[in-house]
Short mmCIF file of all heavy atoms in Angstrom, two decimals:
data_model
loop_
_atom_site.label_atom_id
_atom_site.label_comp_id
_atom_site.label_asym_id
_atom_site.label_seq_id
_atom_site.Cartn_x
_atom_site.Cartn_y
_atom_site.Cartn_z
N PHE B 480 37.16 -20.71 40.15
CA PHE B 480 37.15 -19.58 41.07
C PHE B 480 36.72 -20.01 42.49
O PHE B 480 36.82 -19.21 43.42
CB PHE B 480 36.19 -18.48 40.58
CG PHE B 480 36.74 -17.62 39.46
CD1 PHE B 480 37.73 -18.07 38.60
CD2 PHE B 480 36.25 -16.33 39.27
CE1 PHE B 480 38.22 -17.27 37.58
CE2 PHE B 480 36.73 -15.51 38.25
CZ PHE B 480 37.71 -16.00 37.40
N GLY B 481 36.20 -21.23 42.62
CA GLY B 481 35.68 -21.65 43.92
C GLY B 481 34.47 -20.85 44.36
O GLY B 481 34.27 -20.56 45.52
N ARG B 482 33.66 -20.48 43.37
CA ARG B 482 32.47 -19.65 43.63
C ARG B 482 31.27 -20.31 42.95
O ARG B 482 30.84 -19.89 41.87
CB ARG B 482 32.67 -18.25 43.05
CG ARG B 482 33.52 -17.31 43.90
CD ARG B 482 32.67 -16.65 44.99
NE ARG B 482 31.46 -16.08 44.41
CZ ARG B 482 31.40 -14.87 43.84
NH1 ARG B 482 32.43 -14.08 43.80
NH2 ARG B 482 30.26 -14.44 43.35
N PRO B 483 30.70 -21.35 43.59
CA PRO B 483 29.66 -22.15 42.92
C PRO B 483 28.41 -21.37 42.55
O PRO B 483 27.60 -21.85 41.76
CB PRO B 483 29.34 -23.25 43.94
CG PRO B 483 30.01 -22.86 45.21
CD PRO B 483 31.06 -21.86 44.91
N ASP B 484 28.26 -20.17 43.10
CA ASP B 484 27.05 -19.40 42.82
C ASP B 484 27.31 -18.21 41.89
O ASP B 484 26.44 -17.37 41.69
CB ASP B 484 26.46 -18.89 44.13
CG ASP B 484 27.48 -18.01 44.88
OD1 ASP B 484 28.68 -18.07 44.54
OD2 ASP B 484 27.07 -17.28 45.79
N MET B 485 28.50 -18.15 41.29
CA MET B 485 28.85 -16.97 40.50
C MET B 485 27.86 -16.80 39.33
O MET B 485 27.56 -17.75 38.62
CB MET B 485 30.26 -17.12 39.98
CG MET B 485 30.80 -15.83 39.42
SD MET B 485 32.62 -15.90 39.43
CE MET B 485 32.96 -14.18 39.09
N ALA B 486 27.40 -15.57 39.14
CA ALA B 486 26.42 -15.28 38.08
C ALA B 486 27.15 -15.04 36.77
O ALA B 486 27.95 -14.10 36.65
CB ALA B 486 25.59 -14.06 38.46
N ILE B 487 26.89 -15.90 35.78
CA ILE B 487 27.57 -15.81 34.48
C ILE B 487 26.57 -16.12 33.38
O ILE B 487 25.82 -17.10 33.47
CB ILE B 487 28.72 -16.84 34.37
CG1 ILE B 487 29.68 -16.73 35.57
CG2 ILE B 487 29.49 -16.66 33.05
CD1 ILE B 487 30.73 -17.84 35.62
N THR B 488 26.54 -15.30 32.34
CA THR B 488 25.82 -15.70 31.12
C THR B 488 26.77 -15.54 29.95
O THR B 488 27.61 -14.63 29.92
CB THR B 488 24.50 -14.94 30.91
OG1 THR B 488 23.78 -15.56 29.83
CG2 THR B 488 24.72 -13.47 30.58
N ALA B 489 26.68 -16.47 28.99
CA ALA B 489 27.61 -16.50 27.86
C ALA B 489 26.86 -16.74 26.56
O ALA B 489 25.86 -17.46 26.54
CB ALA B 489 28.64 -17.61 28.07
N THR B 490 27.33 -16.11 25.49
CA THR B 490 26.86 -16.42 24.14
C THR B 490 28.09 -16.79 23.33
O THR B 490 28.99 -15.96 23.16
CB THR B 490 26.14 -15.21 23.51
OG1 THR B 490 25.01 -14.87 24.33
CG2 THR B 490 25.66 -15.53 22.11
N CYS B 491 28.15 -18.04 22.86
CA CYS B 491 29.35 -18.53 22.18
C CYS B 491 29.11 -18.64 20.68
O CYS B 491 28.22 -19.35 20.23
CB CYS B 491 29.77 -19.89 22.74
SG CYS B 491 30.46 -19.73 24.41
N ILE B 492 29.94 -17.92 19.93
CA ILE B 492 29.77 -17.79 18.49
C ILE B 492 31.07 -18.19 17.80
O ILE B 492 32.16 -17.77 18.22
CB ILE B 492 29.42 -16.33 18.12
CG1 ILE B 492 28.15 -15.87 18.88
CG2 ILE B 492 29.27 -16.15 16.61
CD1 ILE B 492 26.87 -16.53 18.46
N ARG B 493 30.95 -18.99 16.76
CA ARG B 493 32.12 -19.37 15.96
C ARG B 493 32.28 -18.34 14.82
O ARG B 493 31.30 -18.02 14.15
CB ARG B 493 31.89 -20.75 15.36
CG ARG B 493 33.09 -21.35 14.69
CD ARG B 493 34.07 -21.95 15.66
NE ARG B 493 33.63 -23.21 16.23
CZ ARG B 493 34.31 -23.87 17.17
NH1 ARG B 493 35.45 -23.38 17.64
NH2 ARG B 493 33.86 -25.00 17.64
N VAL B 494 33.49 -17.84 14.63
CA VAL B 494 33.76 -16.83 13.59
C VAL B 494 34.82 -17.35 12.62
O VAL B 494 35.57 -18.27 12.95
CB VAL B 494 34.22 -15.49 14.22
CG1 VAL B 494 33.11 -14.86 15.06
CG2 VAL B 494 35.48 -15.67 15.06
N PRO B 495 34.90 -16.78 11.42
CA PRO B 495 35.87 -17.26 10.43
C PRO B 495 37.29 -16.75 10.69
O PRO B 495 37.83 -15.95 9.93
CB PRO B 495 35.29 -16.75 9.10
CG PRO B 495 34.50 -15.56 9.47
CD PRO B 495 33.99 -15.77 10.86
N VAL B 496 37.84 -17.25 11.77
CA VAL B 496 39.20 -16.93 12.21
C VAL B 496 39.87 -18.27 12.44
O VAL B 496 39.20 -19.23 12.85
CB VAL B 496 39.14 -16.07 13.50
CG1 VAL B 496 40.48 -16.05 14.22
CG2 VAL B 496 38.65 -14.67 13.20
N LEU B 497 41.18 -18.38 12.23
CA LEU B 497 41.79 -19.71 12.27
C LEU B 497 42.10 -20.24 13.67
O LEU B 497 41.73 -21.34 14.00
CB LEU B 497 43.05 -19.75 11.38
CG LEU B 497 42.69 -19.89 9.89
CD1 LEU B 497 43.87 -19.54 9.01
CD2 LEU B 497 42.19 -21.30 9.57
N ARG B 498 42.81 -19.45 14.51
CA ARG B 498 43.25 -20.10 15.75
C ARG B 498 43.38 -19.23 16.98
O ARG B 498 44.09 -19.60 17.92
CB ARG B 498 44.55 -20.88 15.52
CG ARG B 498 45.72 -20.05 15.01
CD ARG B 498 46.98 -20.89 15.04
NE ARG B 498 47.58 -20.92 16.35
CZ ARG B 498 48.62 -21.68 16.69
NH1 ARG B 498 49.14 -22.49 15.81
NH2 ARG B 498 49.12 -21.63 17.90
N ALA B 499 42.73 -18.10 17.03
CA ALA B 499 42.71 -17.35 18.30
C ALA B 499 41.28 -16.93 18.60
O ALA B 499 40.55 -16.46 17.72
CB ALA B 499 43.64 -16.15 18.25
N HIS B 500 40.89 -17.12 19.84
CA HIS B 500 39.56 -16.74 20.31
C HIS B 500 39.57 -15.29 20.80
O HIS B 500 40.57 -14.83 21.37
CB HIS B 500 39.12 -17.60 21.49
CG HIS B 500 38.72 -19.00 21.14
ND1 HIS B 500 38.70 -19.51 19.86
CD2 HIS B 500 38.28 -20.02 21.95
CE1 HIS B 500 38.28 -20.78 19.90
NE2 HIS B 500 38.03 -21.11 21.14
N SER B 501 38.45 -14.61 20.63
CA SER B 501 38.26 -13.28 21.21
C SER B 501 37.01 -13.30 22.07
O SER B 501 36.09 -14.09 21.81
CB SER B 501 38.10 -12.23 20.10
OG SER B 501 39.19 -12.29 19.19
N GLU B 502 36.98 -12.43 23.07
CA GLU B 502 35.82 -12.40 23.95
C GLU B 502 35.55 -10.97 24.42
O GLU B 502 36.47 -10.28 24.86
CB GLU B 502 36.05 -13.31 25.17
CG GLU B 502 36.40 -14.74 24.78
CD GLU B 502 36.56 -15.70 25.96
OE1 GLU B 502 36.05 -15.39 27.06
OE2 GLU B 502 37.19 -16.75 25.78
N ALA B 503 34.30 -10.55 24.30
CA ALA B 503 33.86 -9.28 24.88
C ALA B 503 33.25 -9.59 26.23
O ALA B 503 32.30 -10.36 26.32
CB ALA B 503 32.85 -8.60 23.96
N ILE B 504 33.83 -9.02 27.28
CA ILE B 504 33.48 -9.39 28.65
C ILE B 504 32.94 -8.16 29.39
O ILE B 504 33.59 -7.12 29.42
CB ILE B 504 34.72 -9.93 29.39
CG1 ILE B 504 35.32 -11.13 28.65
CG2 ILE B 504 34.37 -10.31 30.84
CD1 ILE B 504 36.67 -11.59 29.20
N ASN B 505 31.76 -8.31 29.96
CA ASN B 505 31.19 -7.24 30.78
C ASN B 505 31.11 -7.73 32.23
O ASN B 505 30.53 -8.78 32.50
CB ASN B 505 29.79 -6.87 30.26
CG ASN B 505 29.15 -5.80 31.10
OD1 ASN B 505 28.41 -6.07 32.05
ND2 ASN B 505 29.44 -4.54 30.79
N LEU B 506 31.71 -6.97 33.12
CA LEU B 506 31.82 -7.38 34.52
C LEU B 506 31.03 -6.45 35.44
O LEU B 506 31.01 -5.24 35.23
CB LEU B 506 33.28 -7.37 34.97
CG LEU B 506 34.23 -8.31 34.22
CD1 LEU B 506 35.67 -8.08 34.68
CD2 LEU B 506 33.81 -9.76 34.42
N THR B 507 30.40 -7.05 36.44
CA THR B 507 29.79 -6.27 37.52
C THR B 507 30.49 -6.65 38.82
O THR B 507 30.57 -7.84 39.16
CB THR B 507 28.29 -6.59 37.66
OG1 THR B 507 27.64 -6.34 36.41
CG2 THR B 507 27.64 -5.73 38.75
N PHE B 508 31.00 -5.66 39.51
CA PHE B 508 31.69 -5.88 40.78
C PHE B 508 30.77 -5.52 41.95
O PHE B 508 29.76 -4.83 41.76
CB PHE B 508 32.96 -5.02 40.85
CG PHE B 508 33.98 -5.36 39.82
CD1 PHE B 508 33.95 -4.76 38.57
CD2 PHE B 508 34.97 -6.29 40.07
CE1 PHE B 508 34.90 -5.08 37.60
CE2 PHE B 508 35.91 -6.62 39.12
CZ PHE B 508 35.88 -6.02 37.87
N GLY B 509 31.17 -5.95 43.13
CA GLY B 509 30.40 -5.59 44.32
C GLY B 509 30.67 -4.18 44.80
O GLY B 509 29.96 -3.67 45.67
#
Side-chain angles (χ1 to χ4, degrees):
Chain B
F480 282 25
R482 280 277 310 276
D484 59 344
M485 193 158 192
I487 308 172
T488 189
T490 300
C491 288
I492 303 292
R493 189 80 74 184
V494 295
V496 163
L497 282 164
R498 59 171 277 174
H500 285 358
S501 306
E502 305 183 20
I504 303 171
N505 178 268
L506 299 174
T507 303
F508 297 88

